[in-house]
Amino acid sequence: MRNHLLLGAEAIGAAALDAGISGVYAYPGTPSTEITEFIQRSPETVHNAVRSSWSANEKTALEAALGMSFAGKRSLCCMKHVGLNVAADAFINAAITGVNGGLVIAVADDPSMHSSQNEQDSRIYGKFAMIPVLEPATQQELYDTTVEAFALSEELRLPVLLRLTTRLSHSRCGIRRLSARKQNELQPESDPKRFVLIPSNARRQYDKLLDLQPELAARSESSHLNRLIEGAEKSGIVAFGVAFNYVMEVIQAHGLSKPVLRIGQYPLPEKMLRRFIETCETVLVAEDGYPVAEEYIRGLAGNPKVHGRLDGALPRSGELNADLIAEALGIRREKAPEVLSIVADRPPELCKGCGHRDMFEAISAVMNNQANHQVFSDIGCYTLGALPPFNAIHSCVDMGAAVTMAKGAADAGMTPAVAVIGDSTFTHSGITGLLDAVNDRNAVTVIIADNTTTAMTGGQASAATGRLQHICEGIGVEKEHIRTLVPLKKNLEHNITVLREEIAHEGVSVVIFLRECVEIAQRRLRSAKQQKRNPVKTAS
Amino acid sequence: MKKNILLAGVGGQGILSIAAVMDLAAIESGLQIKQAEVHGMSQRGGAVQSHLRISDATIYSDLIPEREAHLILSVEPMEALRYLPWLAEDGVIVSSIDPVRNIPDYPDMEKIAEAIRKAAPHILVNAEALALQAGSSRMANMIVLGAASPWTGLEPGALEKAVRTLFGPKGCEIVDMNIAAFRTGRGLSEKGSGLKAAATAKTTERQRV
C-alpha cells in the first residue's frame, strides 16, 4: 500500500472520503482548515459529487451536516475549538436527536494558543453532550479512527466527536490509505419524531441518550485506543491523545520501564483506570488541554498519588512536550541554553502592499483626533492592526464581536462607536449584530475590511463576496450611509473625508474598504500564468 | 538512523518547500518522518519554524526535545539563533547570511554572524547571491538545503529526485533551476570549504562561504 505524505488534518479528509462521505461542512479555522481543503482538491470529490464548499459559520455547517445525516448519508463537519462554541446549540441537540447517516464532528483544539483566543478543551463538550469522543495519538491513527468513527456513529446512531490538537493536525507523515467505501444511498429518517425536539419528544430522546451511556462506557473499556503498555516500575503514567507520544519519547530516550495507560476513547474507561491506579504508587496524568481527566482520576483515587496539571507537576496551560514530561518524572537533564538576547522578536505583520495597511492609516487619521479614539475589532488578518506601527484597534474577542460590542458601547453613550470587521467574519456572525444596531438606530460605524476572501486561514472563499452592499441595504442600513472606498495610497485624503463624514452620522453607517487580498491576487496571476503554460494539467 | 532537523526562517521564505523535499526523499527512501509545521497568522512575516524528524524506527513525538536537534537549517541568520536551545551538543548550523529586516530593532549583522560562529560548527551561506547566479533569488532556500544536505541523513540523489517531484508541476525550467541551486549549495559543503568549527577563544573564523 502506498504511503501518502499528509498532514494530520489531511489524513482526516482522506479518511472521510474513503469512508464514503457525501459532504463536508466547515468554516475555516486554524488548525482545522486543511481537512476541508484536502477534500476540496481531491479528484474523488468531483468524481463522486461530494459537497465541499465553505459554510457561513460553524453553526450552519453542523446543522447542514445533520441534515445530510437525516437524509441517510455520511457527513463530516470540521471546525476549530472556538467554532464549537458557535455551533454548540446544534451540537448538544444533535446528541439528543441522534443521527441517521454517520456524522463525525472533527474539532481541532489549540493548546498554547498558536493562533487562537483561548485553549478550551473540546473533550468537555463531548462529555457535556454525552457522545463518544475519539482522541487519536498519531496521524495514522487519525486516519484509521476517522474511518472507524463513521461506522461507530451509524451503529450507535449518535454523532461522534473526533478531537485533535494543533500538533497532530499540522504535522506531516506517511499515511496508509484503505480502499474507498461507496456512499450511502439516500434513505431519509423514518422516525422523524426523533428530530422534532418539542419537549415530549426531547424527553424521550434524552432518556434514550442516557440509557446509551453504559454502552458507550463499555466500548471505551474495550477500545483499541485505550490500552496498557506494561512496565516494571511502580510509578505509572496515564497518557491521553497526543500526550502519549511525548511520554513514549521520554520512556524510550531514558530507557524507563514505567507502565503507561494510553487513553484515546471517551467516556473515560472507569474500570480500566481504577485497576491501573490501584497497581501504581504514583500516577502522572499527561493530557494536552485542560486537566479534564485528571480531575476525574483524582476523584477516583484521592489526591496524594496523582500528579499532573492540577498540582503543578505539569504546567497548567500550554501544550505538552517531551521536555515537560521528563521534568515531571524527575529526570534531570542539562538545561538548554537561553535564547541569546541579541535575538529580537519578530511578530507577524500585514503583508507588503496589503490594503488593510491603507485602511488603518485612514482610520487612525480620523480616530486619533477623537476623544474616544478606541476602535472595536474582530478576528482576521486585520487584527494585526493592533500591533505597531498601527496600534489602531482596541478589541478582538470573538467572531462578530466588533459589531455588537460597538453597538453596546453606543448604547452606553460612547461616541463615536466604530467597528472593524472582515468580509468573511461579517457573514460568519457580524450580520445579525448589524441588524440589532439597525433596529436600535444606534450611532455606530461598521467598517468592513473587504479583501474578498478569508485571508487569515489561507484564502478560502468568502460567503458574500460582491454582495456586501446589498446585504447591508437589505437589513435596513440607509443606502446613502453605505459607502465603498478603495484602500490605496492615492485615495487616502478622500477615504479620510468619507470616513469622517460617516463617523459623524448619528445612525448606522457602513464603510466598505474594498480591495482584493494581495496574496489572492498573486495566486490568481500565478495560476493564470501556469494555465497558459500548461492548459491541460491545470484545467481542474 | 535518526535525524532531528530544525528548519527556521521568516514566513514566506520557503522553509516548507525545504521540508517537503526532505519529507519526500525520506519517504521514498523507506524512512519514517514526522514534520511539525506552523500554519496560520504567524506565517505572515513572522518567525516560522518546522521540526523535522527522520528515522528508520518509530518516531513518537512530533516535536524535537530541547538539545536534541542535529541540525539547524535556517534561511535567515537571526532565526538560526532563535532555536539554539534545541541544538544538540554535536549539532551543526547551516544558515543563509541574508537578513530579513522587517522589524525596527534588527540587530547588527556582524554580531549575529559572530554569535553563530561561537555557537556551533556552521556553514554561513551567501544564499541569495548564489541563487541569483543559479537563476532566481527565489532559489535561495534550495542553496541552503544543498549546503545542509550532508547532515540530513538523506542521499543527494534522493533529495534531487524529490526536488523534481515537488517542482515538476511548475515546469522543467523551474525544476532545473532548483536542481542547479541545490547542487551549488551541496558543492559548498563538499569541497572542503564547508563546515567551520565553532569559534573558540583562539580561533575566530571570519571568512564567509
Side-chain angles (χ1 to χ4, degrees):
Chain A
M1 203 176 301
R2 215 176 145 254
N3 257 349
H4 299 257
L5 183 60
L6 298 178
L7 283 175
E10 294 170 340
I12 297 176
L17 288 172
D18 295 344
I21 56 163
S22 300
V24 58
Y25 296 89
Y27 182 80
T30 313
S32 71
T33 313
E34 297 81 5
I35 305 172
T36 306
E37 286 183 331
F38 181 88
I39 294 171
Q40 288 173 338
R41 63 169 188 265
S42 293
E44 56 263 53
T45 299
V46 181
H47 189 250
N48 301 329
V50 175
R51 185 273 171 203
S52 69
S53 45
W54 295 102
S55 303
N57 66 37
E58 292 84 356
K59 181 173 183 280
T60 66
L62 182 48
E63 289 158 350
L66 188 61
M68 182 170 271
S69 163
F70 183 101
K73 300 208 173 194
R74 290 184 168 185
S75 61
L76 174 70
C77 181
C78 339
M79 59 195 72
K80 68 182 294 183
H81 59 317
V82 288
L84 189 51
N85 298 327
V86 178
D89 202 0
F91 178 73
I92 303 296
N93 290 335
I96 306 288
T97 62
V99 304
N100 184 19
L103 171 54
V104 173
I105 304 157
V107 184
D109 289 359
D110 190 17
S112 275
M113 296 179 259
H114 294 283
S115 49
S116 306
Q117 307 83 52
N118 67 44
E119 279 198 341
Q120 79 190 48
D121 193 319
S122 300
R123 295 177 299 166
I124 293 176
Y125 264 117
K127 187 174 158 61
F128 189 20
M130 291 182 273
I131 60 172
V133 176
L134 306 178
E135 191 188 16
T138 66
Q139 286 77 9
Q140 182 66 52
E141 267 187 9
L142 266 182
Y143 175 88
D144 297 335
T145 304
T146 304
V147 173
E148 291 162 14
F150 282 99
L152 180 67
S153 170
E154 277 173 11
E155 198 184 338
L156 293 168
R157 308 207 83 198
L158 281 180
V160 171
L161 175 63
L162 180 74
R163 187 227 188 189
L164 66 156
T165 56
T166 303
R167 198 51 61 196
L168 208 48
S169 181
H170 285 169
S171 183
R172 206 174 281 280
C173 64
I175 301 286
R176 292 178 306 280
R177 288 180 73 167
L178 305 167
S179 52
R181 173 189 175 278
K182 267 198 175 149
Q183 291 184 28
N184 289 357
E185 296 297 321
L186 185 68
Q187 191 168 24
E189 173 63 44
S190 55
D191 174 18
K193 270 190 187 168
R194 279 178 77 200
F195 283 85
V196 184
L197 295 184
I198 55 174
S200 56
N201 292 343
R203 284 185 208 110
R204 189 191 64 170
Q205 285 297 113
Y206 182 52
D207 284 342
K208 270 170 85 171
L209 179 62
L210 291 175
D211 290 345
L212 259 177
Q213 295 307 303
E215 169 70 19
L216 303 191
R219 282 174 186 260
S220 282
E221 298 286 352
S222 61
S223 166
H224 66 89
L225 292 173
N226 298 340
R227 60 177 186 267
L228 178 70
I229 291 96
E230 301 205 17
E233 293 179 36
K234 282 287 170 202
S235 65
I237 305 167
V238 192
F240 295 82
V242 74
F244 175 72
N245 303 340
Y246 305 132
V247 167
M248 292 310 289
E249 177 84 19
V250 172
I251 284 187
Q252 194 190 42
H254 298 277
L256 307 177
S257 178
K258 292 183 188 296
V260 178
L261 184 62
R262 175 252 144 99
I263 306 286
Q265 182 162 343
Y266 309 73
L268 288 167
E270 188 182 325
K271 285 180 202 152
M272 202 180 239
L273 280 166
R274 200 182 284 278
R275 271 200 306 276
F276 182 76
I277 292 159
E278 274 166 10
T279 60
C280 297
E281 276 168 14
T282 62
V283 173
L284 180 72
V285 181
E287 51 190 327
D288 226 357
Y290 287 6
V292 177
E294 190 183 337
E295 284 179 349
Y296 176 89
I297 290 170
R298 280 171 189 274
L300 284 184
N303 283 345
K305 69 174 173 184
V306 178
H307 305 287
R309 289 189 186 268
L310 289 173
D311 70 345
L314 290 167
R316 178 61 182 79
S317 71
E319 68 175 331
L320 294 178
N321 57 44
D323 295 308
L324 293 169
I325 299 286
E327 205 181 313
L329 293 175
I331 297 168
R332 296 268 164 259
R333 310 196 318 151
E334 201 187 332
K335 237 188 135 31
E338 302 278 317
V339 179
L340 303 174
S341 58
I342 189 178
V343 179
D345 283 346
R346 195 193 300 266
E349 59 173 2
L350 289 169
C351 301
K352 302 271 176 292
C354 169
H356 296 335
R357 287 175 179 263
D358 297 298
M359 175 187 74
F360 281 126
E361 206 174 325
I363 291 173
S364 293
V366 174
M367 293 305 288
N368 288 349
N369 297 325
Q370 301 283 339
N372 292 319
H373 68 279
Q374 290 94 339
V375 174
F376 297 96
S377 183
D378 225 293
I379 296 171
C381 285
Y382 52 94
T383 313
L384 293 168
L387 302 176
F390 302 105
N391 303 311
I393 58 171
H394 308 89
S395 80
C396 165
V397 177
D398 64 56
M399 298 282 282
V403 179
T404 27
M405 282 178 73
K407 185 240 181 297
D411 289 336
M414 185 170 145
T415 53
V418 178
V420 176
I421 187 166
D423 52 322
S424 182
T425 317
F426 178 72
T427 45
H428 178 286
S429 35
I431 293 177
T432 45
L434 183 60
L435 185 57
D436 281 350
V438 167
N439 288 342
D440 264 7
R441 299 172 195 282
N442 287 114
V444 297
T445 301
V446 174
I447 297 169
I448 304 181
D450 182 4
N451 58 4
T452 73
T453 189
T454 315
M456 194 169 77
T457 46
Q460 295 76 22
S462 180
T465 294
R467 288 180 289 149
L468 288 177
Q469 181 147 359
H470 289 120
I471 289 171
C472 294
E473 233 181 282
I475 60 176
V477 182
E478 293 166 47
K479 201 171 178 177
E480 57 272 30
H481 291 291
I482 305 171
R483 311 283 289 270
T484 298
L485 303 174
V486 180
L488 280 169
K489 280 266 165 312
K490 61 176 185 186
N491 299 341
L492 183 63
E493 280 314 308
H494 171 70
N495 292 350
I496 288 173
T497 307
V498 171
L499 203 50
R500 200 171 275 145
E501 283 168 18
E502 292 309 327
I503 282 171
H505 169 58
E506 290 188 7
V508 175
S509 54
V510 172
V511 181
I512 301 169
F513 278 89
L514 172 63
R515 203 180 114 202
E516 188 183 28
C517 164
V518 285
E519 282 283 316
I520 296 301
Q522 274 174 18
R523 200 180 297 174
R524 197 162 43 73
L525 291 175
R526 269 202 304 270
S527 99
K529 221 168 132 188
Q530 205 161 329
Q531 185 113 13
K532 215 171 154 190
R533 193 185 308 130
N534 195 351
V536 185
K537 251 192 172 171
T538 53
S540 62
Chain B
M1 204 292 274
K2 186 176 157 191
K3 289 283 177 194
N4 291 329
I5 302 168
L6 220 152
L7 296 146
V10 178
Q13 281 194 297
I15 74 161
L16 290 186
S17 298
I18 297 180
V21 170
M22 287 197 273
D23 291 347
L24 287 169
I27 293 261
E28 285 293 317
S29 309
L31 297 163
Q32 314 252 343
I33 64 142
K34 280 203 173 185
Q35 183 231 319
E37 54 194 55
V38 176
H39 289 219
M41 187 154 69
S42 49
Q43 277 183 302
R44 290 164 204 281
V48 172
Q49 38 77 6
S50 175
H51 289 224
L52 174 55
R53 312 190 77 187
I54 306 173
S55 176
D56 51 13
T58 304
I59 304 163
Y60 285 106
S61 170
D62 298 89
L63 294 172
I64 302 168
E66 288 187 346
R67 300 177 61 84
E68 289 190 20
H70 305 105
L71 167 67
I72 290 178
L73 189 170
S74 184
V75 282
E76 205 282 345
M78 184 179 80
E79 295 308 319
L81 291 172
R82 196 181 299 281
Y83 305 101
L84 285 186
W86 277 268
L87 192 64
E89 211 170 344
D90 56 352
V92 303
I93 299 175
V94 178
S95 175
S96 129
I97 57 158
D98 310 305
V100 176
R101 290 194 174 91
N102 63 354
I103 47 171
D105 51 348
Y106 194 92
D108 178 58
M109 190 47 221
E110 198 42 50
K111 284 187 180 156
I112 290 175
E114 191 56 40
I116 294 176
R117 288 186 191 113
K118 274 189 187 157
H122 57 273
I123 300 179
L124 292 175
V125 189
N126 205 340
E128 252 175 50
L130 289 169
L132 269 176
Q133 287 171 23
S136 157
S137 64
R138 291 181 58 100
M139 313 289 154
N141 58 346
M142 290 298 124
I143 300 267
V144 182
L145 172 61
S149 57
W151 294 275
T152 59
L154 299 164
E155 293 300 322
L159 287 164
E160 287 196 10
K161 194 174 163 208
V163 171
R164 289 184 198 284
T165 309
L166 187 70
F167 294 104
K170 298 189 174 182
C172 296
E173 200 188 342
I174 302 283
V175 169
D176 292 344
M177 279 158 73
N178 277 286
I179 294 275
F182 174 82
R183 288 183 182 166
T184 303
R186 178 92 189 176
L188 296 176
S189 45
E190 273 177 349
K191 284 173 193 155
S193 59
L195 209 61
K196 305 281 188 286
T200 62
K202 277 183 188 167
T203 59
T204 43
E205 181 52 70
R206 297 217 161 254
Q207 189 192 345
R208 280 178 196 158
V209 172

